[in-house]
């Protein structure tokens, strides 16, 4: 069986009489992940994710090594089952060998639906890394704060059970259809000792806390350090130590062991100059600047000592839950307005500072939000609001702000609802409703097409 044809060859196949593979969701170096159905006695039990390895002719010993991460994930999930932490992790239900398919390995996991899924169609979920690539200049502070809070809740739930992840990075954070974050890849997760530490330095160098690589120990504060790096990326679109790791003139000596290389990198990172996020994104408030600096302190004693402490600090600085403007969360964003007057001033400054930089989805989000601020203020001419709406609409129509038909419909209807609540502002609400309806009709045509 050729590796490049694995996704197509297994599509529609029923494995071991109980796992029906519907369509491939993702493919990587390891293998292919399918949206599948778990069938028992002819009855659908649950929707699942079915992962098949590209490696063939595996033995039982190979399987344990190849799927060590999945085995560890299953063990960790068993420890937190029934707790808040279980909401943010991925259950592993089964694994084994496929004798009839060249002895490939497989893992059965919980299915995470991506934005745009329907009752009959599962969209591939986005991870934080792919989301960051869409925001090369960073996200709006309010949007970033919402993701920061969600990550704090996910990691904090693990910390509450005495477990640390030890490999937090954007690739390991899935974004579900409802906007909730799911933390994956628990192969390095560890149960803390009575003293609050776990031994070992295995992790991704860029996101590793310095003390983990230098001393070989980790605590909850090590996860907080990794979270700080992720927060930094969310707000700026930049990895603070990217240049350090890409500098070929300053690479570790080739004679060093893996352990010594890890220590070498962490010593370099510990001494590297720190650049505040606000240098790259002027819309970042001072409290976020300070919080990230504390999370990324080389000294673990100077950091918040666990994820929930970070969450509490964020909550003290925000009056209400920040609202995300992307995906299915637009519904709540339109229906639960923040303090429009104070939002307006910050957004106007943010868009003014954009200058001649090419407009993208980040500009679209800010401009859409400013249009709503102007609508609720009721003191701006409709021409100014219409200009913003037209410019926003142009961006997603030409593909600069990538929106699915469902998101476009939500945007049109949300703007129409806001205008209706504010006496129309002299604008054509009917036109917005008609455009939303056209988008919904397109969704119906897409979902009616066969998916298999």
């Amino acid at each position: 069986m050729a590796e490049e044809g694995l996704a197509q060859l297994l599509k529609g196949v029923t494995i071991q009489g109980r796992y029906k593979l519907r369509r491939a969701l993702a493919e990587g170096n390891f293998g292919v992940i399918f949206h599948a159905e778990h069938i028992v006695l002819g009855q659908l039990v649950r929707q699942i994710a079915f992962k098949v390895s590209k490696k063939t002719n595996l033995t039982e010993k190979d399987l344990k090594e190849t799927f060590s991460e999945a085995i560890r994930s299953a063990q960790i999930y068993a420890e937190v089952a029934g707790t808040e932490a279980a909401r943010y992790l991925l259950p592993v239900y089964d694994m084994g060998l496929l004798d009839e398919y060249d002895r490939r390995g497989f893992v059965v996991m919980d299915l995470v639906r991506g934005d745009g899924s329907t009752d009959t169609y599962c969209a591939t979920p986005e991870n934080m890394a792919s989301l960051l690539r869409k925001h090369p200049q960073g996200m709006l502070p309010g949007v970033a704060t919402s993701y920061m809070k969600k990550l704090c809740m996910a990691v904090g739930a693990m910390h509450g059970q005495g477990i640390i992840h030890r490999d937090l990075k954007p690739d390991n954070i899935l974004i579900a259809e409802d906007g909730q974050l799911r933390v994956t890849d628990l192969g390095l997760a560890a149960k803390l000792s009575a003293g609050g530490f776990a031994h070992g330095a295995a992790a991704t160098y860029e996101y590793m806390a310095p003390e983990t690589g230098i001393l070989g120990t980790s605590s909850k504060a090590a996860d907080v350090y990794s979270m700080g790096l992720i927060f930094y990326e969310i707000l700026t679109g930049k990895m603070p130590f990217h240049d350090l790791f890409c500098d070929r003139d300053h690479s570790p000596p080739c004679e060093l062991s893996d352990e010594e290389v890890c220590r070498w990198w962490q010593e370099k990172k510990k001494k590297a100059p720190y650049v505040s996020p606000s240098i790259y994104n002027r819309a970042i408030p001072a409290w976020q600047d300070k919080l990230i600096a504390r999370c990324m302190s080389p000294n673990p004693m100077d950091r918040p000592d666990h994820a929930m402490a970070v969450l509490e600090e964020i909550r003290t600085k925000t009056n209400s839950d920040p609202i995300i403007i992307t995906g299915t969360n637009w519904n709540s964003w339109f229906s639960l307005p923040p303090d429009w007057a104070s939002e307006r001033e910050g957004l106007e400054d943010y868009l003014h500072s954009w200058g001649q930089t090419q407009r993208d989805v980040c500009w679209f989000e800010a401009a859409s939000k400013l249009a709503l601020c102007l609508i609720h203020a009721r003191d701006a001419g409709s021409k100014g609001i219409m200009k913003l709406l037209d410019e926003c609409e142009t961006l997603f129509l030409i593909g600069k702000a990538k929106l699915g038909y469902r998101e476009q419909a939500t945007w049109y209807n949300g703007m129409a609802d806001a205008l209706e609540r504010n006496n129309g502002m002299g604008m054509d609400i009917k036109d917005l409703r008609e455009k939303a309806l056209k988008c919904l009709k397109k969704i119906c045509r897409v979902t009616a097409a066969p998916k298999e």
Side-chain angles (χ1 to χ4, degrees):
M1 185 185 303
E3 288 185 359
E4 58 270 18
L6 184 61
Q8 188 61 35
L9 195 62
L10 291 180
K11 181 180 178 181
V13 168
T14 298
I15 301 293
Q16 297 181 351
R18 53 197 172 124
Y19 301 126
K20 183 178 181 180
L21 310 189
R22 293 176 58 84
R23 60 179 289 270
L25 293 175
E27 184 169 2
N29 293 330
F30 175 85
V32 182
I33 299 177
F34 290 86
H35 169 206
E37 296 175 342
H38 184 187
I39 307 293
V40 176
L41 298 177
Q43 299 298 311
L44 174 64
V45 174
R46 60 166 71 95
Q47 304 284 333
I48 56 170
F50 191 95
K51 190 174 185 178
V52 185
S53 73
K54 287 184 176 179
K55 286 184 179 180
T56 59
N57 300 315
L58 296 177
T59 65
E60 293 288 344
K61 181 181 178 181
D62 294 331
L63 190 67
K64 290 180 181 179
E65 294 176 355
T66 302
F67 288 162
S68 59
E69 184 274 325
I71 293 171
R72 186 60 183 148
S73 294
Q75 293 169 337
I76 292 294
Y77 190 84
E79 290 191 31
V80 303
T83 71
E84 177 69 9
R87 296 180 59 224
Y88 303 101
L89 304 181
L90 286 183
V92 175
Y93 302 121
D94 193 10
M95 63 185 69
L97 289 172
L98 299 177
D99 292 327
E100 65 276 35
Y101 293 103
D102 303 324
R103 291 187 66 80
R104 299 173 187 272
F106 73 88
V107 178
V108 179
M109 303 171 290
D110 194 33
L111 180 68
V112 180
R113 293 177 170 273
D115 189 36
S117 297
T118 67
D119 291 340
T120 59
Y121 176 78
C122 176
T124 303
E126 191 168 38
N127 65 21
M128 184 64 72
S130 63
L131 180 65
L132 289 173
R133 286 192 289 270
K134 296 179 181 178
H135 294 81
Q137 295 176 327
M139 302 180 195
L140 291 171
V143 177
T145 302
S146 181
Y147 281 117
M148 289 164 66
K149 291 181 72 175
K150 290 181 178 182
L151 184 57
C152 285
M153 288 187 284
V155 179
M158 293 180 65
H159 287 179
Q161 300 302 311
I163 294 171
I164 56 175
H165 189 282
R166 295 204 299 181
D167 196 21
L168 288 170
K169 55 185 178 181
D171 293 286
N172 292 345
I173 302 168
L174 287 181
I175 304 170
E177 181 184 24
D178 60 1
Q180 181 172 298
L181 302 186
R182 304 287 288 274
V183 181
T184 66
D185 293 344
L186 300 175
L188 300 177
K191 189 78 173 177
L192 295 173
S193 67
F197 292 93
H199 295 288
T204 304
Y205 290 165
E206 291 89 336
Y207 293 90
M208 180 188 290
E211 71 275 9
T212 300
I214 297 170
L215 303 175
T217 60
S218 300
S219 64
K220 295 175 183 178
D223 277 352
V224 169
Y225 181 89
S226 302
M227 289 166 56
L229 284 166
I230 296 170
F231 295 165
Y232 195 110
E233 285 188 272
I234 290 173
L235 284 164
T236 68
K238 299 180 183 295
M239 177 66 186
F241 301 115
H242 176 74
D243 292 342
L244 175 68
F245 284 91
C246 292
D247 187 354
R248 296 183 178 180
D249 295 330
H250 295 86
S251 298
C254 58
E255 67 271 12
L256 295 183
S257 66
D258 290 346
E259 184 177 327
E260 289 170 331
V261 168
C262 180
R263 189 180 302 116
W264 188 92
W265 277 120
Q266 298 313 311
E267 289 284 6
K268 292 283 289 185
K269 196 166 67 174
K270 188 175 181 179
K271 297 173 183 177
Y274 175 77
V275 179
S276 296
S278 58
I279 296 297
Y280 300 113
N281 185 344
R282 285 173 288 176
I284 296 173
W287 72 265
Q288 285 186 333
D289 243 1
K290 293 176 182 177
L291 175 60
I292 292 173
R294 288 183 56 222
C295 289
M296 290 179 55
S297 171
N299 184 351
M301 300 300 292
D302 293 335
R303 300 175 209 145
D305 55 8
H306 55 87
M308 294 308 291
V310 181
L311 179 60
E312 286 306 311
E313 192 161 334
I314 294 174
R315 282 175 171 166
T316 62
K317 300 295 184 179
T318 53
N319 295 325
S320 61
D321 289 339
I323 312 238
I324 298 177
I325 187 173
T326 49
T328 54
N329 292 288
W330 279 17
N331 292 320
S332 60
W333 191 74
F334 281 117
S335 61
L336 298 173
D339 183 348
W340 296 110
S342 60
E343 288 275 338
R344 173 182 174 178
E345 183 178 355
L347 287 163
E348 286 176 330
D349 289 342
Y350 181 77
L351 291 175
H352 178 73
S353 69
W354 200 271
Q356 299 302 311
T357 305
Q358 188 177 22
R359 292 174 179 177
D360 59 9
V361 68
C362 194
W363 186 95
F364 167 81
E365 292 177 355
S368 295
K369 194 169 185 180
L370 178 58
L372 278 183
C373 290
L374 295 176
I375 291 171
H376 285 276
R378 299 189 187 186
D379 63 356
S382 61
K383 289 184 179 179
I385 298 171
M386 181 59 77
K387 184 174 185 295
L388 275 175
L389 295 183
D390 286 344
E391 289 175 340
C392 288
E393 183 181 24
T394 298
L395 276 185
F396 64 68
L397 290 178
I398 66 175
K400 292 292 184 180
K402 295 186 182 299
L403 301 184
Y405 292 133
R406 189 182 304 278
E407 291 176 308
Q408 292 180 34
T410 302
W411 187 84
Y412 284 124
N413 276 326
M415 291 299 177
D417 289 342
L419 287 166
E420 283 186 348
R421 287 196 297 268
N422 291 278
N423 302 320
M425 304 286 291
M427 296 175 61
D428 189 353
I429 297 174
K430 183 179 178 181
D431 180 58
L432 293 170
R433 297 290 190 203
E434 288 176 349
K435 289 178 178 179
L437 183 59
K438 287 180 181 179
C439 292
L440 293 173
K441 288 180 178 178
K442 289 178 181 178
I443 295 173
C444 294
R445 286 201 295 271
V446 170
T447 55
K451 296 298 178 183
E452 301 298 341

